[in-house]
Amino acid sequence: MRLIFIYGLPATGKLTVARELSALTGYRLFHNHLVVDMLLSVFEFGSKPFVELREEIWLSVFRAAAESGLPGMIFTFAPERTVRDGFVAEVERIVCGAGGDVEFVELVCPIEELTGRMESASRVEFGKLTSVELFEKLHADGVFDSSHMPRPRVTVDTSLPGPTEAAGEIVRGLRL
């Protein structure tokens, strides 16, 4: 299985671009907020059971997908402090251990553009961060530090192209 692991700050367009990429490739889309939102119905964000179950579910899905012979899957991810340090390495171990590959794609966007997108209706749908004030505070505090992420094979600035064009850049960059 080829896992396209799309990451970036909140509001860089991860889900929007991933949907377009899924349409272009036929790869299944596993949006991280499916699990996050499910767990938020029971547990507080960042609590021990939330963190443990979130990662356990994510990893279980990767394992089952890799072992099932699925040709490809797209995962959206926002690096932040509540994700345990070994999570990304464990994803790679699972997928590569089943004979697959993990391709990292980073979406970037100027902060001014991100804050302009923060309160959009599409973000509310999945319980995403919608407060510009909170985003600015968390960002200033280093909560979204992605320096520990593996180097991406492709980086796309989503302030320039539309989502279809951004997905096309990923297809070309990864030779999908």
Side-chain angles (χ1 to χ4, degrees):
M1 176 184 78
R2 198 165 186 187
L3 175 62
I4 312 303
F5 194 109
I6 299 176
Y7 69 93
L9 287 172
T12 53
K14 295 178 294 294
L15 178 57
T16 303
V17 171
R19 285 178 171 152
E20 293 292 329
L21 185 60
S22 178
L24 289 173
T25 62
Y27 286 5
R28 300 293 181 124
L29 172 57
F30 182 36
H31 174 46
N32 78 79
H33 265 272
L34 297 171
V35 173
V36 169
D37 293 349
M38 175 186 71
L39 292 173
L40 284 175
S41 70
V42 180
F43 302 107
E44 183 178 330
F45 186 88
S47 67
K48 185 176 186 218
F50 174 89
V51 169
E52 290 175 355
L53 285 169
R54 177 186 57 187
E55 292 176 30
E56 183 180 315
I57 294 167
W58 283 343
L59 294 171
S60 294
V61 171
F62 296 139
R63 184 176 294 105
E67 292 172 356
S68 75
L70 193 69
M73 186 168 76
I74 302 161
F75 179 63
T76 61
F77 180 74
E80 50 85 13
R81 279 192 192 143
T82 68
V83 177
R84 294 186 283 195
D85 291 340
F87 170 70
V88 173
E90 185 66 10
V91 171
E92 290 180 294
R93 188 190 68 71
I94 288 169
V95 173
C96 297
D101 291 304
V102 181
E103 306 276 10
F104 292 94
V105 174
E106 182 178 24
L107 300 186
V108 298
C109 189
I111 296 297
E112 306 79 42
E113 177 79 14
L114 294 182
T115 57
R117 297 175 180 179
M118 198 62 56
E119 296 174 344
S120 73
S122 65
R123 296 190 58 74
V124 174
E125 175 187 357
F126 283 103
K128 296 178 177 184
L129 177 61
T130 57
S131 166
V132 172
E133 183 180 334
L134 180 57
F135 168 77
E136 288 173 341
K137 179 187 180 325
L138 294 171
H139 190 259
D141 290 346
V143 168
F144 304 118
D145 177 31
S146 63
S147 63
H148 63 285
M149 292 296 295
R151 186 172 168 205
R153 281 222 24 227
V154 176
T155 300
V156 178
D157 181 342
T158 60
S159 68
L160 304 173
T164 303
E165 293 80 12
E169 286 185 39
I170 295 168
V171 167
R172 288 185 297 281
L174 297 180
R175 296 190 170 120
L176 298 174

